[in-house]
């Protein structure tokens, strides 16, 4: 059986907190990014969540604005979660991002139909199914090269 916690997330009865955090990370990528469920942002991201990317700002609403920009520019955006490692409240998710720039302008670049495929890692602090903070490391250079913003080195 599953019980609702105070943040609107479900905790599995009998699951360890590490297992719950691993599942929360997988559900975060699936629901927020792949299913494009904007309401999942409210379930999975703390109001004052912080990250290392200044473009994403601080807090749930800053994340929501960036999320909207990504989906407007890349309607077929998809995160393929390749690996999740959890210890305590820290969760490392290795992912592969794909999409096609057929929507809105992104980083000053009009849509060209360019296909993107980049790898990355997210390191998040998760408590009771909610991301409190995160650190993302990904191939932003390759991303910009694939979009045609910069020439390949």
């Amino acid at each position: 059986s599953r019980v609702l916690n105070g943040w609107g997330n479900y905790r599995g009865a009998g699951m360890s907190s590490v297992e719950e955090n691993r599942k929360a990370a997988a559900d975060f990528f699936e629901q927020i990014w792949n299913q494009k469920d904007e309401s999942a942002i409210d379930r999975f991201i703390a109001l004052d969540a912080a990250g290392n990317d200044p473009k994403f700002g601080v807090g749930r609403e800053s994340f929501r604005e960036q999320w909207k920009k990504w989906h407007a520019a890349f309607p077929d955006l998809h995160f393929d979660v390749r690996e999740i490692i959890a210890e305590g409240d820290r969760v490392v998710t290795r992912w592969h991002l794909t999409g096609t720039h057929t929507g809105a302008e992104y980083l000053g670049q009009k849509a060209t139909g360019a296909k993107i495929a980049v790898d990355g890692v997210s390191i998040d602090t998760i408590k009771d199914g909610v991301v409190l903070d995160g650190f993302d490391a990904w191939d932003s250079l390759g991303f910009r090269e694939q979009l045609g913003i910069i020439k390949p080195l």
Side-chain angles (χ1 to χ4, degrees):
S1 70
R2 291 161 53 104
V3 294
L4 192 62
N5 70 16
W7 286 277
N9 290 330
Y10 289 91
R11 292 185 63 152
M15 288 177 72
S16 73
S17 63
V18 169
E19 290 167 334
E20 290 169 1
N21 289 343
R22 186 179 288 118
K23 180 170 178 3
D27 290 347
F28 171 93
F29 282 96
E30 181 58 30
Q31 293 176 29
I32 291 175
W33 290 108
N34 296 340
Q35 294 175 10
K36 303 177 184 163
D37 180 358
E38 185 175 350
S39 70
I41 293 170
D42 298 321
R43 291 191 300 275
F44 286 104
I45 300 177
L47 277 172
D48 59 351
N52 65 303
D53 187 343
K55 288 182 221 61
F56 265 72
V58 175
R60 180 187 299 159
E61 295 312 312
S62 291
F63 178 94
R64 185 185 318 272
E65 290 309 309
Q66 291 301 316
W67 175 86
K68 287 178 180 179
K69 289 178 184 178
W70 275 90
H71 280 294
F74 304 92
D76 63 343
L77 185 76
H78 181 80
F79 279 87
D80 179 22
V81 172
R82 303 273 170 98
E83 183 176 16
I84 299 175
I85 301 168
E87 183 175 324
D89 63 358
R90 300 297 281 174
V91 181
V92 178
T93 306
R94 185 172 61 87
W95 43 263
H96 182 74
L97 170 66
T98 57
T100 311
H101 190 200
T102 57
E105 183 177 295
Y106 194 78
L107 297 177
Q109 180 80 5
K110 292 190 185 304
T112 63
K115 294 198 176 295
I116 58 156
V118 294
D119 293 306
V121 174
S122 297
I123 304 170
D124 297 306
T125 303
I126 300 177
K127 184 168 175 59
D128 295 322
V130 177
V131 175
L132 303 179
D133 62 60
F135 179 92
D136 295 312
W138 61 290
D139 185 8
S140 61
L141 175 63
F143 171 75
R144 285 165 174 77
E145 288 175 347
Q146 292 168 37
L147 279 183
I149 294 171
I150 59 174
K151 294 184 191 286
L153 298 175

